[in-house]
Amino acid sequence: MRGAVETIAKGAAQAAVTGSTAQPGTGSATLADTDTDTDTGTGTGTGTGTGSVTRTYTGTGSVTRTGTGRVAEAAAGKSAAPTASCRAARPRADALRNRERIVSAARELFVEFGPDVALDDVARRAGVGNATLYRNFPDRAALTHEVVLAVTSRTTLRAEEAVASESDPFAALSRFVHAAADERIGALCPMISGVFDKDHPDLLAERDRLEEAVAGLVSRAQSAGRLRTDIAVGDVLVALSQLTRPLPGIACQGIDRFTHRHLQLFLDGLETPARSELPGSAATLEDLRRS
């Protein structure tokens, strides 16, 4: 709507439009604008703005504004300034908790059933309604993206913590392997299966951080003579993935009680001196990307 009339019935108000026009007392002004909102206040009001504004003051100081210009109003007793509505709303704490619960539930189910698990099951495991899930993640690709991003980031942190906590390089590697299992690193398998955009910049950045951290753990343990030299970073990551998740589509709720036992057997086989000759060649990161 273009055009408006301002009528002041009670109180003394002053309106300044485009920085130079001021009208005190009672009377009317013809202005132009196209936006509408409503605030209330009592006493004397002052309005400023660029562009034109339509205001009607009632006996209690009710204000109706129409305009595309910015308007700031203050009244004795109550402020009529629409600052809250102009400010971008922050996510509520409960909304953030729901999002985290959805990601956590999806991570668990991806490990147990693979990335094609029904999203209804994810919502049920998270304890939220389907509408809440789809409000946060409109499709499977968006949810998978967030799960892989979260698991990758958290697993990288575990690698950095292992380095900071253990002076022995092989103990640091062992600590990381067990911590990565607790982070459900098996949920990263969707990154290999290609069910979403593997080349998204956020994912590539987090993947590079993780690979660099794990490569550092392996390199330090080998340089210290604690880790056999016929393995590479890819061997560690593949074993972690295989030993921390059941076969896709098979529910195995009790896998956790075996995971750390099998990981320790794996770590014992990595430590020097090597007790056997491994077939084939060491698996590198390049090998994983080509597979």
Side-chain angles (χ1 to χ4, degrees):
M1 176 196 318
R2 306 292 299 180
V5 176
E6 172 177 340
T7 304
I8 305 177
K10 260 194 174 185
Q14 184 178 43
V17 181
T18 320
S20 60
T21 303
Q23 302 195 18
T26 61
S28 63
T30 301
L31 307 165
D33 226 323
T34 59
D35 173 44
T36 301
D37 59 14
T38 301
D39 292 303
T40 60
T42 58
T44 302
T46 301
T48 63
T50 60
S52 296
V53 180
T54 296
R55 288 191 293 271
T56 301
Y57 284 75
T58 67
T60 61
S62 174
V63 181
T64 300
R65 295 193 306 277
T66 302
T68 55
R70 293 184 58 192
V71 179
E73 304 211 23
K78 285 186 179 181
S79 172
T83 54
S85 62
C86 296
R87 196 178 295 122
R90 294 181 180 177
R92 302 192 314 270
D94 58 339
L96 292 175
R97 283 194 297 270
N98 283 341
R99 185 180 179 88
E100 291 171 358
R101 288 163 63 185
I102 292 168
V103 172
S104 178
R107 181 184 65 173
E108 298 293 333
L109 289 171
F110 284 1
V111 171
E112 295 170 19
F113 299 101
D116 296 327
V117 64
L119 297 187
D120 289 355
D121 291 340
V122 174
R124 191 176 302 110
R125 176 74 67 91
V128 302
N130 287 355
T132 299
L133 186 149
Y134 284 105
R135 186 162 54 248
N136 283 276
F137 305 103
D139 54 34
R140 182 181 302 278
L143 178 57
T144 304
H145 172 98
E146 191 67 21
V147 169
V148 173
L149 194 63
V151 172
T152 305
S153 176
R154 289 172 62 90
T155 303
T156 301
L157 289 176
R158 301 292 86 80
E160 294 169 349
E161 290 171 357
V163 172
S165 302
E166 302 288 349
S167 57
D168 176 20
F170 191 83
L173 177 62
S174 299
R175 182 187 180 108
F176 163 72
V177 165
H178 286 287
D182 290 336
E183 291 297 342
R184 294 296 193 260
I185 195 173
L188 292 181
C189 287
M191 180 172 283
I192 299 174
S193 67
V195 297
F196 69 106
D197 182 9
K198 296 181 293 183
D199 296 322
H200 189 284
D202 290 347
L203 295 175
L204 290 177
E206 285 299 334
R207 186 194 70 185
D208 289 345
R209 285 185 62 229
L210 175 60
E211 291 178 352
E212 181 179 354
V214 179
L217 285 166
V218 170
S219 176
R220 282 188 287 273
Q222 288 178 329
S223 296
R226 298 293 314 282
L227 178 67
R228 57 192 299 166
T229 57
D230 55 351
I231 65 103
V233 179
D235 292 303
V236 175
L237 293 178
V238 168
L240 263 172
S241 177
Q242 291 179 337
L243 293 173
T244 57
R245 67 191 300 264
L247 294 174
I250 298 177
C252 186
Q253 303 296 336
I255 188 175
D256 285 347
R257 65 193 179 101
F258 301 115
T259 295
H260 290 286
R261 286 176 55 84
H262 296 163
L263 286 174
Q264 192 57 52
L265 286 171
F266 165 65
L267 288 166
D268 288 347
L270 293 182
E271 198 168 8
T272 56
R275 293 169 176 80
S276 63
E277 182 177 348
L278 295 177
S281 57
T284 65
L285 294 173
E286 289 72 22
D287 293 331
L288 296 185
R289 295 193 185 104
R290 286 196 298 266
S291 62

